[in-house]
Structures are given as C-alpha cells and as structure tokens.
Amino acid sequence: MTATYKLLSITFLAFVLWSCGSNSETKKNNFSIETSAKKNIITLGETLKLSLKNPKNVEVTSVSYKLGDQTIPNEFKMEDVKLGVHKISASIVTEDGTDEVSTHITILNNQKPKLYTFNIINEYPHDITSYTQGLEFHDGYLYESTGQYNESKLRKVDYKTGEVLQNTDLERQYFGEGMTIMNDKIYQLTWRENTGFVYQLDSFEKISTFTYGQSKEGWGLCNDSEVIYKSDGTENIWILDPNTLQEKDHIQVYRDKGKIINLNELEWIDGKIYANNYQYNGVTIINPENGAVEGVIDFSPLHNKVKQHPGLDVLNGIAYNPETKTLFVTGKRWNKLFEVEIIEK
C-alpha cells in the first residue's frame, strides 16, 4: 500500500467517523427531559412535573412519558411506586419520525425509619466456630447456613441445647451464604460462585442447583411462602420465582436520605423483610412492596455479651420462631443465640 493511498484511506475513515458522530450528536441534542425534582431527587408522595427541552424548536406532534415501563402523564404524583433509581423516558413524535430520550430520577421514602431496641428473653448456646450466614426456624427446629471456604455447612439444630441434629458440609470451593425453607425444600446460596443449592428438607439430599441472574453475588434469602427474596450485598433485593429460581423482579431499599447497602441475611416477619446490614450490628425493617425502610433495630449491645475472642465477628443471623412469636439473633462465631423482644424507642 502506497503512502498516498494510506493517507487517503485514513482521511476518508476520519470523515466517516466524524459524520456519524456529528449526526448522532445532533439527533441526541434535539431534545432532553427536564424534571421539577431538584437534582432529579424526589420524595414519595410528591408530584413530578416533566417537560421537554427543545432548543432547536423542532415541531413536535406528540410526547409520551414513561417511568420505567409505566406510561405516566407529564404531572405524576409519586404514589404506589417503588423507591430507588428509575428511568424516565420520553417518546417524541415529529415529522421526521420518533425520537427517544431519557433521564433518571431517585425516589426517596417520605418518612424517617422508626428506631427500635430490645429486651433479652433467653440466651442459648451457639457453636462458636460457626460463621453464621443464614438462620431460619421450621417446625420448632433451627436451620443454619455457615460460610468461609472449607468450613461452610448446612445444619439442623436443637436451638435450646445447641445440639447438631443434621449436618452437611459444602465442597471446599464454596463459600456458604444465606438459606431459606419453602415447600419442603432448603435453598442455600454461595457467595461468589454464582451457584445456589436445593436440598430435600428431611434428608438434606442435594437435589438441584441454580445460577444467579443480574445479581452477581449471593448473600441472604427469605420467603413469604409464595416467592423467594434474595440479597446480593447491594441495596437490591431480588424476587425469585420458586419454580425456576430466576430473578423476575427486584426492589431497591431506600430510606428518606438515600439507599441502604450491604443488605445481608434476610427474614420474613409479619409481611416485612428484616435484613442484617453487614458490618453493622443492626437490622433494617423493609416494606417488600416498595423497598422503604420502615424501621431499624439496634442490636449493638449484644456484641459485648458474647465471648470475646480473635475470630469474633459481627451480628449476622435473624430467625423468627412462629411458635414463640419471638425473634432470635446471633452472629459470626458467637457463642450465644439470643431470644429477644423488640421495643420501639
């Protein structure tokens, strides 16, 4: 190839790229969406007003707006919507065709979370070597999933004595995470292995595995007897179809000031999701319909009531016992399981 031919080829390619970029940018800048929300942050219950910026005064035939997949008018009150970050899109019809533009808004809760403390009802023994990840009652027995590579296991425990009644160890390459029980099956997550396990409840026989979807990690599980809820360490809680175990939807957990991340072990209690916050000795109470944080329980005093040792870690493990109608909590490598009564401050 001659130098002249090379120069002509480069010049032509640059012109094509410039032309494509110019056309794309021109089309992109025809319209944009303007919202009434300051910094595109709005609170539940407020009214969002939308307008179209049209700096080139292109003649517009019609405009339609969407919040996610829901068609909305240009004035829309934020009721019965999920919290978090959502896409606002506009479909603009002109004589030249249809343009699509979008922006994002953040929807916050309109109430501060209630603050709760607790009273200890009972203390029970807990295996100090267990790096607790998941905890759940079923028919009066406590089921526990634990983590760490080459240490992870699934157990059935007599919670009053701490006696292990059934146990199965995970293969050494898996880091066990949360678990839940539904339809006579135990569902257990692993952390970064993109793999979940399904066991027969009575025998602990592993009957199948499943993989994750948009959630990249496995943290906590719970269920409401119809669907399974899964946390992944972010502000997202994913809703799984119990038959396919695929993520069919999700909520984003937000309070009045922003999102809550590091959501870990989950428990379903009286229509709400209770979630441990990893690295914090507390539990967040979540509305499963919209992701609103409705309450926070401070369990930090419990950390000083267990044996202090080098491997001691944070609170993690919440289980509601329907027989006693009380909450049980423990932590990673804690030597005690606490039965507690929750009290509003």
Side-chain angles (χ1 to χ4, degrees):
M1 181 182 291
T2 66
T4 302
Y5 184 76
K6 283 184 179 179
L7 180 61
L8 288 173
S9 298
I10 292 170
T11 303
F12 176 74
L13 179 60
F15 174 77
V16 170
L17 291 174
W18 176 85
S19 299
C20 291
S22 176
N23 289 341
S24 174
E25 194 66 28
T26 300
K27 185 174 181 181
K28 179 180 178 182
N29 289 333
N30 277 345
F31 307 101
S32 62
I33 300 172
E34 188 170 42
T35 80
S36 60
K38 186 177 180 180
K39 295 183 178 180
N40 277 8
I41 299 173
I42 194 166
T43 299
L44 197 65
E46 292 182 343
T47 297
L48 179 69
K49 297 180 181 179
L50 302 172
S51 58
L52 197 66
K53 280 190 173 181
N54 184 3
K56 297 183 179 180
N57 294 317
V58 177
E59 187 172 343
V60 175
T61 305
S62 65
V63 182
S64 60
Y65 296 100
K66 283 188 174 183
L67 173 62
D69 295 327
Q70 178 186 2
T71 300
I72 60 172
N74 64 332
E75 288 195 21
F76 180 73
K77 191 170 184 180
M78 290 293 164
E79 295 179 321
D80 300 322
V81 294
K82 294 179 180 180
L83 304 187
V85 179
H86 296 279
K87 181 179 178 181
I88 295 281
S89 58
S91 180
I92 307 122
V93 178
T94 69
E95 61 180 7
D96 293 328
T98 302
D99 281 353
E100 300 282 344
V101 292
S102 65
T103 187
H104 287 82
I105 61 164
T106 300
I107 308 172
L108 303 180
N109 197 22
N110 57 356
Q111 295 182 358
K112 293 181 179 180
K114 294 180 179 179
L115 300 179
Y116 296 88
T117 184
F118 63 93
N119 282 333
I120 298 174
I121 300 172
N122 285 303
E123 298 180 9
Y124 301 101
H126 179 255
D127 182 357
I128 199 171
T129 69
S130 289
Y131 195 80
T132 304
Q133 302 285 66
L135 209 63
E136 191 165 311
F137 274 97
H138 184 79
D139 289 342
Y141 294 103
L142 191 64
Y143 291 78
E144 182 174 14
S145 173
T146 73
Q148 295 294 344
Y149 292 109
N150 205 29
E151 293 182 31
S152 298
K153 51 189 173 284
L154 177 66
R155 284 180 163 180
K156 177 182 178 180
V157 179
D158 181 335
Y159 75 92
K160 292 182 179 179
T161 65
E163 180 186 359
V164 177
L165 305 175
Q166 280 180 271
N167 181 87
T168 186
D169 295 330
L170 275 64
E171 294 176 73
R172 61 186 305 159
Q173 70 267 31
Y174 293 111
F175 190 118
E177 285 283 350
M179 52 79 59
T180 194
I181 298 170
M182 184 176 177
N183 299 329
D184 294 326
K185 295 181 179 67
I186 302 173
Y187 302 86
Q188 183 186 32
L189 298 175
T190 61
W191 181 25
R192 290 177 169 170
E193 290 71 55
N194 193 36
T195 302
F197 302 121
V198 184
Y199 305 86
Q200 202 66 47
L201 174 63
D202 56 357
S203 65
F204 275 26
E205 177 190 358
K206 189 188 297 181
I207 54 179
S208 64
T209 62
F210 61 96
T211 56
Y212 311 153
Q214 295 182 65
S215 61
K216 303 304 179 186
E217 295 184 353
W219 285 48
L221 287 178
C222 71
N223 77 86
D224 63 0
S225 77
E226 293 185 1
V227 298
I228 296 173
Y229 298 90
K230 175 184 182 290
S231 64
D232 62 2
T234 68
E235 72 276 14
N236 297 320
I237 294 181
W238 301 86
I239 301 169
L240 277 59
D241 183 314
N243 297 312
T244 65
L245 296 174
Q246 294 188 356
E247 299 160 358
K248 61 180 186 178
D249 202 354
H250 76 287
I251 57 172
Q252 302 172 67
V253 178
Y254 272 69
R255 54 166 297 177
D256 57 317
K257 294 183 178 180
K259 64 185 178 182
I260 304 296
I261 61 171
N262 291 333
L263 298 171
N264 200 2
E265 214 266 302
L266 305 179
E267 185 76 5
W268 180 268
I269 306 173
D270 294 333
K272 307 295 180 183
I273 297 173
Y274 285 53
N276 276 124
N277 293 95
Y278 182 57
Q279 296 294 352
Y280 296 94
N281 291 303
V283 168
T284 300
I285 303 172
I286 303 161
N287 182 332
E289 297 298 322
N290 62 3
V293 175
E294 297 185 344
V296 176
I297 311 170
D298 179 15
F299 283 119
S300 55
L302 290 179
H303 195 271
N304 293 326
K305 294 183 179 295
V306 299
K307 183 177 180 179
Q308 306 297 298
H309 62 99
L312 183 66
D313 211 324
V314 294
L315 176 100
N316 197 61
I318 47 178
Y320 179 73
N321 188 343
E323 294 182 359
T324 61
K325 299 188 184 304
T326 51
L327 190 65
F328 289 69
V329 294
T330 190
K332 301 174 184 293
R333 307 201 195 284
W334 287 21
N335 70 325
K336 292 181 181 179
L337 172 72
F338 296 93
E339 182 180 8
V340 298
E341 173 191 22
I342 306 305
I343 301 168
E344 186 173 352
K345 284 187 176 180

